[in-house]
Amino acid sequence: MTGITWEDPFCAEGSSCFRLGTDAEGNGYIAVSGQEDHYLTDSIEALRTLITDIKAGKADHLL
């Protein structure tokens, strides 16, 4: 898909790099770095909520 603006990858120590992206239609994307053609998509608002919740510690139990 064209039109996705990808951010620089977010990487753990030496592995597990993820990329976040957005498009002009209001969609948000998450993909493994190097595999951007296989992505998850939802609204930018859903992506914003996910990031906010992670920053608030709501996913800490997964660590």
Side-chain angles (χ1 to χ4, degrees):
M1 165 175 254
T2 60
I4 300 173
T5 302
W6 293 104
E7 298 291 323
D8 291 336
F10 294 92
C11 299
E13 294 180 20
S15 65
S16 303
C17 295
F18 293 93
R19 296 189 76 182
L20 302 176
T22 58
D23 67 18
E25 287 81 44
N27 297 306
Y29 300 85
I30 302 173
V32 173
S33 184
Q35 299 180 28
E36 288 82 359
D37 54 336
H38 300 285
Y39 51 79
L40 297 173
T41 185
D42 205 327
S43 67
I44 289 176
E45 183 57 35
L47 179 60
R48 182 179 295 114
T49 300
L50 174 68
I51 293 167
T52 301
D53 286 352
I54 289 171
K55 288 176 70 175
K58 293 183 180 181
D60 286 357
H61 63 284
L62 299 172
L63 302 176

